[in-house]
Amino acid sequence: MRKMLMGLILVGFGCFALLFGLVKASDHKAQNRTPAQHGVLDLSAWDFQGEQVVSLDGQWEFYWDQLLRPGGAPSVSPGYMQVPGFWKHANEDGGLNSQGAVTYRLKVKLEPSATMYGLRISNIRMASEIYVNGNRVAGSGKPAESESLYRYENKPYNAFFTVQGDTAEIIIHAANYENSQGGIPYSIYFGSAGGIHKLNTHTTILNLIMIVSLLMLGCYQLSVFIIRREERGLLYFGLSCIIIAWSFASNGDRILVEYVDLPHEIYYKIQAVSLYLSLITMVMFIKNMCTTMIPEWLIKSVVRVTALYISFVLLTPFQWYSRFNAVFSYLQLVIYVIILGLMLHSYLKGRYGDFSKRTLLLFILALGGYVVGLFDYGLYLSSMTPNYTLGYCSILIFCFLASFLLSYRYSEAYKTIEGMAIKLQQADKQKDEFLLHTSHEFQTPLHGIINLSQSMLETGAGAEAEAGELSASHIQNLFLIRDTSRRLSGLVHDILDLEKIKRNELNVHLSAVDVRVSVSLVFDLFQVLITGKKIRFVNAVPEHLPLVYADEDRLRQILQNLVGNAVKFTHEGMITIKAQVEEGQIKVRVEDTGVGMNLSDWDAVFQPFEQAHSPEEYGGTGLGLFISRKLLHLMNGTIKVEWSEPEQGTCMAFTLPIAEEARNSLTLMEASKESPSINEEWGMAELPSRSKSKFTLLAVDDEPSNLQVLSRVFANEPYEVLWATNGLEALEMLQKRSDIDLVLLDVMMPKLSGFEVCREIRKQFSLFELPVVLLTARNGNSDIATGFKAGANDFIIKPFDAAEVRARTETLLKLKKSVEDALKAEVDFLQSQIKPHFLFNSLNSIIALCRTDGARAEKLIMHLSNYLRRSFDPKPDSFVWIEDELQLVDAYVQIEEARFEERLTVVYDVDPQVLKKKILPLTIQPLVENAIRHGVTKKMEGGTVRISISLDKDTVYVEVWDNGGGISETGIQALWTSERASSERRGVGLVNIQRRLKHFYGEALQVSSEEGEWTSVRFQFKI
């Protein structure tokens, strides 16, 4: 530190010496050997061929209150006035008057020559004209003996002329009616025209160096302040430098007024304000640097008094405030001396504030130099010194030293911060490692908690709940435990991704991905989470949207983050995902009708741990959007908030590149469908033919290579393997072929995802009729749960093991065969319930009709034949058309109507739309048989049976109603007990129907009755 301070001191003094030397070396003003005496200056021996100029200092003839006519003889004897200097004339009352008109006259003895001479006039207050040998050569303003004819201006100017003979008579008319000091405050320089030009250039350059240096220094400090707003010292010092620069430009040689045409009143206000405004900014700077050394009341007093005087300057004309300028200038010096004394006193007392001992001493010396510079500059303005070289250099050196000190302080602060930053980085690294290890350790117990709570919830609604082991509050707590654990598990995964981002270890595997399918999969995952919310998901992604070039898993993660946020902040309404091609990319928009956010939060939400809404109210960690933006950056995409309004909703938009290569590969795959390796009609692999295939498998995958692998896996098994390259093709094949026993279904496919295809399959086939195995690379709990909810029988995780695939497939096929055998046994058992006495009674009715109505007897025999044929069908389908089931019912009804004649009336109320819908066989006919046998025929007067079948959207409603004897409440309960059914030889049909309805549809028979009045048996099922 000592070396640095010594370096600063040496640099400061070196700069001072260099500037002072340069000013002196470039100064070509010659020192007068003899000043003017009694209005005469002898320069006959002076060499005007050089570029040096001489000042016309000395005694000039002085004529008060009159402007002598050039070339004429004065009417009064002259007085003498020292130039440079101010004049004051004694009034009749003995006072001194500085306002009026005067004439200066000087005779200069010259060597006769044809030289072009020149004069340099810096300041003659307040209007002047110059005559040489009776000719007007220059002027500024209009001097006059009366104020009404007078016009002030007072600009620096040059005068050029030639002299005939050996004498140059120089007459200056001057007038002053505004300033408190009239006269010629600075030297007038005389020389050749070239010398005057060089003097003017030298003066201008010297002032410009000073002004530009201060302006640059001030702008630099203000620029740093814009970056470091908390450092007010930079602001005050920067403003001080700029104001001092303006003060130099408007005072002294006044190059501002010389080169800029300003109104006189405005110029003098700028001159005064810049001179005194620097006091305010400088004392504020000093106070900021020396916080504890300067009393607060002193700073406030200086600022208020100076601000008051500046206001006075701005509001009054020049003539009013000019007489107080000198007083306030002296007051300014006194204030600086007081401040300097206070700082020196603190230094001697050992109170250094934010400084060290040496830096405070350096600052005191620099400020002392500034005060010396102001004092020297003030002497120059008062015509007590011929120049302000010392003040020029001192003020400039102070500004640079103060800037160095500021830089030094901030350098020290930077070193301190740098050291702290290194420690913080180490601590942050340790924190990251701790979080990483902790997150890994959290995963296993969290998965255990989630699985245990889920298991308890699944069993809690069953036997345990019936036994009273789990109350409603316990189940609610289990839901809370499970959901909280899932959120914590998600946070753990986010933290792991965040660590990968920090370490640049987050990788993506780019390929062609279908956005619509990804959106569909994400919506499927969130269906469970919106339970209780009035939210509707809308997948508005076009079916023929080009594929994107992205990481399939990471794209789903991004969509899950965006949809998760939308679900979190939307209480009711819609969450819509749209996509379209824009500027050669795919733009995806996720819109919701939630709480929205303010414009100020649009950028903040993409920062880690930043949220637009209170985490206490909505939860979350603020990592999702940050991670999504990083992932999209890795996939050459972008993300932004497209629009958002409070209480209106939000639209998040991200872009991804179009997968050109993927489109080409799809074209090749379409072409491959026409190749001989795939059967054009069915998509069946041309594997080695087998004479006997026990089962037929359908493999569905959009990658031909995966289909080839699956075919080879079952090459030595007694299976026929069919291929389908997308979901739509698979559904078409299932419609055309009824011999498919199992489907191997990829989850991620274009157009339709595996989940959507599985749901479509389940609309036609039950879990045991057609098992579905999902093939996927994602094995998360939510993915597996979504797959099972869609209707899958099993999951196989890619990359899969061939033995595992064969084992799982074989197990499901054996289970399917076992279920089919069990169902056949059920139907056979139901068929065996046809009573012999029913046949006996039917035959007796036919015999009786043969004698009276042969045609009707013939029809009755045909109905009995149809009934028996359908009842004893050895290979019934698992499902039959409702139309076929009703034909069986009608055959049975026709036979019974022949027996009971008017006692039996059967009414059909059937929606024609349901006739081509499938239903389980032998479900309606046994109900009608029960209604006839145990209902209306038990009454002597008989009754009516009404069969009603209706369709509402995707649900079929079936009801068999009769107005027979009815059933008691206890009788209804006894219908479902096997003991009652066995003992009374009835009810077996109802038990069988009930079991099959529960198995295939998850529905049950609903029996209601009023004893002695009516009975209704109903059931429903989705198609």
Side-chain angles (χ1 to χ4, degrees):
M1 180 177 179
R2 179 180 297 180
K3 291 181 178 179
M4 185 173 184
L5 289 175
M6 289 301 298
L8 281 174
I9 293 173
L10 291 175
V11 168
F13 282 107
C15 290
F16 178 82
L18 180 62
L19 285 172
F20 195 83
L22 287 174
V23 171
K24 286 299 183 182
S26 61
D27 187 5
H28 57 283
K29 299 173 184 175
Q31 298 296 324
N32 289 348
R33 289 169 294 177
T34 303
Q37 298 290 334
H38 302 291
V40 178
L41 179 61
D42 187 3
L43 295 178
S44 57
W46 187 265
D47 182 13
F48 285 98
Q49 298 304 314
E51 292 185 343
Q52 282 195 328
V53 296
V54 61
S55 64
L56 302 183
D57 296 349
Q59 293 179 343
W60 286 52
E61 291 182 6
F62 183 76
Y63 300 90
W64 172 254
D65 204 23
Q66 58 182 306
L67 300 177
L68 296 181
R69 183 171 59 85
S75 58
V76 295
S77 59
Y80 296 97
M81 178 64 65
Q82 186 69 30
V83 175
F86 298 106
W87 45 261
K88 290 179 185 277
H89 192 272
N91 295 327
E92 294 179 357
D93 57 1
L96 296 178
N97 184 17
S98 61
Q99 296 181 350
V102 298
T103 299
Y104 289 88
R105 190 170 75 161
L106 178 68
K107 292 182 179 180
V108 181
K109 300 295 184 179
L110 302 170
E111 182 73 22
S113 71
T115 302
M116 175 66 73
Y117 296 99
L119 292 171
R120 169 65 181 176
I121 292 87
S122 296
N123 191 342
I124 299 178
R125 296 177 181 172
M126 290 291 294
S128 61
E129 288 181 338
I130 297 180
Y131 297 86
V132 177
N133 292 337
N135 298 316
R136 186 184 184 277
V137 294
S140 177
K142 183 179 180 181
E145 294 179 358
S146 65
E147 188 174 355
S148 60
L149 300 175
Y150 155 87
R151 178 175 57 84
Y152 77 92
E153 187 176 50
N154 193 18
K155 284 186 176 182
Y157 59 92
N158 301 320
F160 299 98
F161 52 90
T162 58
V163 177
Q164 302 295 327
D166 61 353
T167 302
E169 180 189 44
I170 301 174
I171 292 178
I172 299 177
H173 290 171
N176 173 42
Y177 295 98
E178 282 84 10
N179 207 316
S180 60
Q181 293 177 317
I184 304 175
Y186 310 135
S187 298
I188 297 175
Y189 290 95
F190 179 75
S192 64
I196 293 299
H197 277 301
K198 189 167 185 179
L199 172 64
N200 189 47
T201 303
H202 169 265
T203 303
T204 301
I205 291 175
L206 189 66
N207 280 275
L208 284 177
I209 290 174
M210 180 76 165
I211 293 167
V212 172
S213 299
L214 290 173
L215 286 175
M216 290 178 62
L217 189 59
C219 292
Y220 168 74
Q221 300 297 333
L222 291 179
S223 300
V224 178
F225 168 72
I226 292 174
I227 301 172
R228 300 172 57 90
R229 295 295 183 95
E230 68 280 2
E231 301 292 346
R232 310 291 293 183
L234 294 169
L235 172 65
Y236 299 137
F237 183 64
L239 291 175
S240 296
C241 291
I242 293 174
I243 294 170
I244 292 171
W246 275 101
S247 180
F248 270 103
S250 57
N251 289 279
D253 292 311
R254 302 179 302 157
I255 65 170
L256 178 65
V257 72
E258 185 175 3
Y259 294 102
V260 180
D261 189 15
L262 290 172
H264 311 311
E265 190 68 33
I266 293 178
Y267 162 72
Y268 285 111
K269 289 185 184 299
I270 292 175
Q271 184 186 59
V273 169
S274 64
L275 191 61
Y276 305 124
L277 186 60
S278 63
L279 177 61
I280 295 178
T281 56
M282 188 60 72
V283 296
M284 293 296 292
F285 166 65
I286 295 171
K287 173 63 178 174
N288 183 268
M289 295 286 286
C290 311
T291 309
T292 59
M293 303 178 195
I294 314 298
E296 188 72 26
W297 63 266
L298 177 61
I299 300 298
K300 290 182 178 179
S301 300
V302 170
V303 172
R304 289 171 182 171
V305 170
T306 307
L308 186 62
Y309 184 71
I310 291 174
S311 301
F312 173 70
V313 169
L314 292 174
L315 297 175
T316 58
F318 175 74
Q319 189 174 2
W320 288 22
Y321 64 79
S322 62
R323 64 190 66 185
F324 301 105
N325 284 348
V327 176
F328 205 84
S329 297
Y330 294 133
L331 178 61
Q332 185 178 15
L333 281 174
V334 171
I335 292 170
Y336 280 119
V337 171
I338 292 173
I339 291 175
L340 194 59
L342 290 172
M343 292 174 61
L344 189 59
H345 179 265
S346 296
Y347 175 79
L348 296 175
K349 291 293 184 180
R351 298 193 296 267
Y352 308 127
D354 294 334
F355 290 95
S356 65
K357 182 177 180 180
R358 293 182 177 85
T359 55
L360 178 59
L361 178 60
L362 183 61
F363 187 68
I364 291 173
L365 292 175
L367 185 59
Y370 179 74
V371 174
V372 170
L374 286 180
F375 186 72
D376 181 70
Y377 193 58
L379 293 178
Y380 172 72
L381 294 178
S382 301
S383 303
M384 296 182 183
T385 58
N387 56 63
Y388 57 95
T389 303
L390 178 62
Y392 172 91
C393 296
S394 298
I395 292 175
L396 197 58
I397 293 303
F398 162 76
C399 292
F400 279 104
L401 282 178
S403 179
F404 289 153
L405 280 175
L406 283 172
S407 301
Y408 173 73
R409 288 183 65 178
Y410 297 140
S411 175
E412 289 296 308
Y414 176 77
K415 288 181 179 178
T416 303
I417 294 172
E418 191 178 38
M420 295 175 63
I422 293 174
K423 293 180 180 179
L424 286 173
Q425 287 173 354
Q426 293 175 347
D428 184 64
K429 185 177 180 181
Q430 293 174 349
K431 179 264 296 179
D432 290 342
E433 292 177 353
F434 171 76
L435 280 177
L436 187 61
H437 293 309
T438 305
S439 299
H440 281 296
E441 294 298 325
F442 273 164
Q443 282 183 312
T444 301
L446 276 175
H447 289 163
I449 294 171
I450 294 171
N451 293 331
L452 286 173
S453 59
Q454 182 65 36
S455 175
M456 294 179 69
L457 284 171
E458 291 172 354
T459 58
E464 294 182 9
E466 294 177 1
E469 295 183 14
L470 288 177
S471 64
S473 61
H474 289 160
I475 293 176
Q476 185 177 3
N477 290 336
L478 283 173
F479 273 114
L480 182 62
I481 292 172
R482 184 197 64 183
D483 295 341
T484 304
S485 300
R486 283 178 175 173
R487 285 197 296 269
L488 185 55
S489 178
L491 174 60
V492 167
H493 286 295
D494 285 344
I495 291 174
L496 294 175
D497 282 343
L498 184 63
E499 287 305 309
K500 290 180 180 179
I501 290 172
K502 288 184 177 180
R503 300 169 185 261
N504 292 323
E505 296 176 356
L506 193 62
N507 298 319
V508 292
H509 305 285
L510 301 179
S511 62
V513 182
D514 191 320
V515 175
R516 179 178 174 83
V517 172
S518 298
V519 171
S520 176
L521 294 174
V522 170
F523 278 168
D524 288 337
L525 293 176
F526 277 91
Q527 284 293 342
V528 179
L529 300 180
I530 62 173
T531 304
K533 285 189 173 185
K534 298 178 181 179
I535 297 176
R536 184 163 62 93
F537 289 136
V538 177
N539 185 351
V541 178
E543 292 186 4
H544 302 292
L545 185 76
L547 304 180
V548 296
Y549 195 58
D551 185 307
E552 178 181 318
D553 293 337
R554 295 302 184 181
L555 176 58
R556 288 183 62 186
Q557 181 179 353
I558 293 166
L559 289 170
Q560 286 174 10
N561 284 333
L562 297 179
V563 175
N565 286 340
V567 169
K568 184 192 306 181
F569 298 113
T570 303
H571 302 296
E572 62 177 327
M574 289 194 307
I575 297 174
T576 306
I577 299 184
K578 306 175 182 178
Q580 65 186 54
V581 178
E582 284 190 10
E583 298 179 357
Q585 289 189 314
I586 301 296
K587 188 170 189 178
V588 182
R589 293 180 175 88
V590 181
E591 299 180 6
D592 64 66
T593 57
V595 297
M597 56 183 166
N598 296 318
L599 180 62
S600 58
D601 297 321
W602 288 15
D603 293 328
V605 293
F606 293 104
Q607 301 302 318
F609 306 106
E610 290 289 338
Q611 295 179 264
H613 300 280
S614 170
E616 288 79 9
E617 182 179 358
Y618 291 97
T621 59
L623 287 175
L625 290 177
F626 171 74
I627 294 174
S628 297
R629 185 175 67 174
K630 293 295 184 182
L631 290 173
L632 284 165
H633 178 72
L634 291 174
M635 295 186 288
N636 299 317
T638 60
I639 186 172
K640 67 177 181 178
V641 180
E642 189 157 272
W643 63 263
S644 183
E645 295 182 16
E647 306 306 326
Q648 298 296 319
T650 300
C651 177
M652 306 292 293
F654 66 88
T655 61
L656 283 169
I658 297 175
E660 297 292 341
E661 299 85 352
R663 275 199 291 228
N664 295 335
S665 66
L666 287 175
T667 303
L668 291 174
M669 191 168 71
E670 292 294 333
S672 68
K673 294 179 184 178
E674 302 176 2
S675 65
S677 62
I678 299 180
N679 182 284
E680 291 183 0
E681 182 178 0
W682 302 111
M684 182 177 66
E686 293 293 340
L687 297 173
S689 60
R690 291 183 296 270
S691 57
K692 294 183 179 180
S693 295
K694 292 176 59 179
F695 297 102
T696 301
L697 309 182
L698 174 60
V700 188
D701 200 309
D702 60 331
E703 286 290 338
S705 58
N706 292 339
L707 295 175
Q708 289 281 1
V709 170
L710 287 173
S711 299
R712 296 293 175 248
V713 167
F714 298 109
N716 297 321
E717 300 294 328
Y719 304 147
E720 179 184 8
V721 181
L722 307 179
W723 284 4
T725 56
N726 57 65
L728 292 176
E729 186 179 348
L731 293 175
E732 290 177 2
M733 293 176 65
L734 289 172
Q735 291 290 337
K736 294 178 180 179
R737 296 193 58 158
S738 60
D739 60 339
I740 297 175
D741 298 292
L742 183 140
V743 178
L744 296 166
L745 183 61
D746 183 37
V747 172
M748 289 298 296
M749 293 185 298
K751 298 182 180 179
L752 284 178
S753 70
F755 293 154
E756 292 174 306
V757 174
C758 190
R759 275 192 286 269
E760 291 296 323
I761 291 174
R762 287 294 164 253
K763 290 180 181 179
Q764 297 180 356
F765 305 97
S766 68
L767 288 166
F768 295 105
E769 279 187 299
L770 184 60
V772 176
V773 180
L774 291 178
L775 307 175
T776 178
R778 298 181 65 89
N779 59 346
N781 294 333
S782 58
D783 299 281
I784 295 175
T786 303
F788 282 125
K789 188 176 179 181
N793 295 72
D794 203 353
F795 260 85
I796 296 179
I797 308 302
K798 295 180 180 180
F800 47 73
D801 180 73
E804 179 187 1
V805 175
R806 284 193 293 267
R808 290 179 181 269
T809 302
E810 183 180 0
T811 300
L812 286 174
L813 290 173
K814 287 182 178 179
L815 183 60
K816 169 184 166 68
K817 184 68 169 59
S818 299
V819 171
E820 287 178 348
D821 292 342
L823 290 176
K824 184 176 184 303
E826 287 280 349
V827 174
D828 291 343
F829 178 71
L830 182 62
Q831 292 170 345
S832 68
Q833 301 306 304
I834 299 176
K835 305 298 187 298
H837 68 267
F838 167 74
L839 295 176
F840 178 75
N841 292 333
S842 300
L843 291 173
N844 283 337
S845 299
I846 293 170
I847 293 171
L849 286 173
C850 287
R851 299 174 185 153
T852 59
D853 192 347
R856 187 179 177 193
E858 181 182 0
K859 289 183 179 180
L860 204 60
I861 291 173
M862 292 183 64
H863 286 308
L864 179 61
S865 174
N866 289 335
Y867 175 76
L868 294 176
R869 178 173 54 81
R870 292 180 180 275
S871 297
F872 294 111
D873 185 0
K875 294 182 179 180
D877 292 335
S878 299
F879 290 90
V880 298
W881 301 113
I882 292 179
E883 182 179 23
D884 293 339
E885 179 73 6
L886 288 177
Q887 288 179 0
L888 177 64
V889 171
D890 186 61
Y892 174 77
V893 168
Q894 292 292 333
I895 294 171
E896 294 291 10
E897 283 182 340
R899 287 181 57 201
F900 297 106
E901 296 183 346
E902 290 84 4
R903 292 178 59 199
L904 175 62
T905 301
V906 178
V907 178
Y908 293 91
D909 181 14
V910 179
D911 186 346
Q913 296 182 17
V914 305
L915 295 178
K916 291 302 180 180
K917 306 297 179 184
K918 285 196 171 184
I919 192 172
L920 289 170
L922 296 176
T923 50
I924 301 178
Q925 189 275 332
L927 299 182
V928 174
E929 182 178 350
N930 281 339
I932 295 174
R933 290 179 56 200
H934 304 293
V936 296
T937 59
K938 294 296 183 181
K939 299 173 66 175
M940 291 300 297
E941 67 276 16
T944 301
V945 176
R946 184 176 68 244
I947 304 169
S948 301
I949 306 176
S950 61
L951 177 66
D952 184 10
K953 296 181 180 178
D954 61 345
T955 303
V956 175
Y957 297 90
V958 179
E959 181 185 22
V960 178
W961 178 91
D962 69 82
N963 59 354
I967 311 173
S968 65
E969 189 68 29
T970 56
I972 293 175
Q973 297 296 327
L975 287 175
W976 317 116
T977 59
S978 59
E979 292 83 0
R980 171 70 178 254
S982 299
S983 62
E984 299 189 9
R985 301 296 299 164
R986 66 178 193 150
V988 178
L990 291 181
V991 173
N992 180 277
I993 295 170
Q994 177 88 320
R995 184 160 50 246
R996 288 189 295 144
L997 287 175
K998 285 186 176 180
H999 174 74
F1000 284 101
Y1001 299 129
E1003 301 288 348
L1005 289 172
Q1006 300 177 17
V1007 181
S1008 57
S1009 179
E1010 185 174 342
E1011 194 170 3
E1013 297 294 333
W1014 56 268
T1015 301
S1016 172
V1017 182
R1018 304 176 304 281
F1019 67 90
Q1020 65 187 50
F1021 60 92
K1022 291 186 179 296
I1023 57 175

